[in-house]
Amino acid sequence: MKTPIPYYLGQILESVRDEDGGEVAEYIPELANADPDKLAVALCSSTGHVYSAGDAEHEFSIQSISKPFVYALALQELGLDAVRDVVGMEPSGEAFNELSLGRDYRPVNPLINAGAIAVNQLINGVDSSVEDRNARLNEYFSRLAGRDLSVDAGVADSELNHADRNLSLAHMLRNYDIIKDDAHDAVLSYTHQCAIRVDVRDLAVMSATLANGGRQPVTGDKILDADVCRLTLAVMSSCGMYDGAGRWMAEVGIPAKSGVAGGLLGTLPGQLGVATFSPRLNESGNSVRGVEAFKLLSSDMGLHLMSTDNRVGTHPIRSKEEDEDHAVIHLQGHINFSAAEAILYELQGYDLDACRVALDISQVPSLNRVGRRMLKEGLRRLREGGNEIAVIDPDGTLTDRELSDGTVVPLADAEDYHINGEDVRD
Ligand code: GLU
């Protein structure tokens, strides 16, 4: 059986492909050359399973999506008190590049440009040279992505040559002793940070690292403390979408950060990271198709953070028993998107050739809408692959057993599948 998640992601892309509003960013001339039709999505579970659809290998500059990660690095290196000395944690309700500081001259949060420039200056120590700071950032972002990332020198130069606004911010920050470097050097290393090249799979994995309390889920590398991730995600949820942050949390409910090259990253704490790419932007500088794709991810996959339907529990597969012609997979706990993802991933790896397969949901108290849909699609795919399928559901928890092809999954008695074989899960 092949897990249907890449197919779901592909469907989301097809649903937003016709959205052709918005324009590629032009205030950084190099970004104006972007192909406006590129479109991609990727998702990474906190267990490191990565799925994608569309132009997933297309690279683009990370831009503002770097900001929460650099904030996390500053918190990791210096602790909250030192970081709070230069930047607040309140939503600004203003545009990303607003020429404003807070009442005490600190930028109000680390995700607007003023705050991001101030935070960039903390990395590797305030006395660091620009080269050493950039090298530290390259190494850090490469660890987060789990591969060596490069910097798009063309984008960095292009931005630097048109950086009057960011230079004004850096001059203000230096005037009020928030940063030590001169304005040009400060903007030089901030621009470098924004020009790191990534694809959507990198972003999904980086985001899943935040979701996973700082352990990169694919490489297993422990990069950040869980407390740092919690703080970063809290700031992302209140400030990540700038002047649209409140509406975003209400409508989409996934802590997120956008970048002007067209990337959009979202994190569900404890569950997963997700990212989209499409370079046409709305007036607030957010990807038009990316925003629509996130709305679908939130509604169709049940990923709204405030949803009361999103409990996360123990591993959803309690055990698996099998002999030559039967397999019973015993599930447990509430089945939402993340639980169903884990079940489908395991099923994909099992060797279930032409045997009778039953999913035992007698220990599953509930399934949400997306969990039910995904489990049923997994069963349909098993049958398509030649298995005979059934559910063991003595309490009728799977209220609707009709599959997408109109057939109904048969019920089975636990006795029919009684196997004295070995329990193959640890
Ligand atoms: N480097 C861009 C700037 O400072 C980042 C903006 C963004 O991605 O929102 O203008």
Side-chain angles (χ1 to χ4, degrees):
M1 188 216 70
K2 258 181 150 8
T3 172
I5 295 176
Y7 168 75
Y8 293 152
L9 294 177
Q11 273 190 324
I12 286 182
L13 293 190
E14 291 324 309
S15 308
V16 303
R17 201 178 286 280
D18 290 343
E19 287 282 344
D20 58 0
E23 301 289 340
V24 299
E26 283 178 349
Y27 77 102
I28 300 174
E30 190 72 16
L31 294 183
N33 300 328
D35 175 352
D37 293 327
K38 288 269 187 258
L39 182 61
V41 59
L43 183 148
C44 178
S45 68
S46 58
T47 45
H49 308 151
V50 185
Y51 308 91
S52 57
D55 302 305
E57 274 153 35
H58 178 74
E59 292 193 346
F60 50 92
S61 51
I62 188 168
Q63 298 298 338
S64 279
I65 300 170
S66 61
K67 293 171 180 173
F69 293 99
V70 177
Y71 181 60
L73 180 59
L75 291 170
Q76 184 74 30
E77 286 187 346
L78 299 164
L80 179 59
D81 289 347
V83 175
R84 222 179 358 210
D85 282 346
V86 306
V87 71
M89 7 172 55
E90 297 302 332
S92 68
E94 292 178 337
F96 69 96
N97 56 2
E98 196 58 41
L99 294 174
S100 74
L101 300 178
R103 254 172 304 177
D104 54 4
Y105 306 119
R106 287 178 317 156
V108 290
N109 73 60
L111 303 187
I112 52 172
N113 285 11
I117 293 169
V119 171
N120 169 282
Q121 291 294 288
L122 299 176
I123 302 303
N124 208 43
V126 287
D127 295 320
S128 173
S129 66
V130 174
E131 291 76 41
D132 289 348
R133 180 169 293 132
N134 290 351
R136 173 86 183 102
L137 287 168
N138 281 6
E139 179 242 351
Y140 168 65
F141 276 100
S142 297
R143 273 179 79 190
L144 285 169
R147 69 178 186 108
D148 282 339
L149 299 180
S150 59
V151 168
D152 190 324
V155 168
D157 285 351
S158 175
E159 178 163 3
L160 203 59
N161 291 332
H162 296 81
D164 293 330
R165 219 177 158 90
N166 284 335
L167 281 165
S168 328
L169 287 169
H171 279 293
M172 288 202 297
L173 291 167
R174 188 165 139 103
N175 179 59
Y176 292 113
D177 288 330
I178 307 285
I179 63 172
K180 260 179 97 174
D181 264 4
D182 70 49
H184 179 268
D185 279 357
V187 174
L188 190 58
S189 62
Y190 165 72
T191 306
H192 171 99
Q193 159 193 330
C194 292
I196 291 173
R197 291 167 67 90
V198 287
D199 61 31
V200 276
R201 292 173 70 91
D202 296 323
L203 290 182
V205 173
M206 289 163 57
S207 171
T209 305
L210 290 179
N212 199 25
R215 188 176 299 282
Q216 212 272 23
V218 178
T219 61
D221 188 5
K222 177 76 173 153
I223 303 173
L224 297 165
D225 291 344
D227 288 358
V228 161
C229 295
R230 194 193 59 227
L231 281 169
T232 303
L233 288 172
V235 171
M236 223 163 93
S237 70
S238 58
C239 313
M241 297 303 274
Y242 308 124
D243 36 346
R247 187 162 168 197
W248 177 266
M249 270 318 277
E251 287 184 357
V252 179
I254 302 176
K257 189 69 210 76
S258 62
V260 284
L264 186 52
L265 164 148
T267 310
L268 273 189
Q271 293 198 63
L272 51 85
V274 59
T276 57
F277 174 72
S278 170
R280 287 205 193 89
L281 309 180
N282 61 23
E283 326 68 64
S284 311
N286 299 321
S287 165
V288 172
R289 287 161 161 180
V291 168
E292 290 309 312
F294 265 75
K295 286 185 183 162
L296 290 175
L297 283 161
S298 169
S299 60
D300 292 6
M301 295 198 177
L303 299 183
H304 198 297
L305 187 64
M306 302 305 167
S307 166
T308 49
D309 226 9
N310 246 338
R311 286 153 286 184
V312 192
T314 47
H315 195 286
I317 297 188
R318 186 159 49 94
S319 61
K320 170 180 172 245
E321 293 179 280
E322 61 186 339
D323 61 17
E324 316 74 58
D325 51 12
H326 293 72
V328 188
I329 293 131
H330 302 284
L331 306 182
Q332 62 184 356
H334 174 69
I335 311 279
N336 61 5
F337 176 86
S338 290
E341 182 279 323
I343 294 165
L344 294 169
Y345 184 85
E346 296 275 336
L347 285 176
Q348 176 172 259
Y350 290 160
D351 180 13
L352 296 170
D353 276 354
C355 69
R356 292 170 71 192
V357 180
L359 294 188
D360 171 12
I361 59 169
S362 55
Q363 300 300 313
V364 170
S366 54
L367 299 98
N368 74 2
R369 184 173 45 86
V370 68
R372 186 167 53 237
R373 172 178 161 213
M374 289 169 73
L375 220 56
K376 290 200 298 183
E377 178 59 12
L379 283 163
R380 195 193 65 74
R381 286 177 178 226
L382 281 171
R383 196 181 50 206
E384 200 175 62
N387 297 109
E388 203 179 305
I389 53 165
V391 284
I392 299 170
D393 183 15
D395 302 324
T397 308
L398 191 65
T399 41
D400 162 19
R401 285 182 287 112
E402 186 174 335
L403 303 183
S404 59
D405 59 10
T407 62
V408 173
V409 193
L411 283 173
D413 272 342
E415 285 79 59
D416 296 344
Y417 280 80
H418 190 70
I419 295 167
N420 293 320
E422 222 183 309
D423 183 341
V424 297
R425 271 192 66 84
D426 291 334

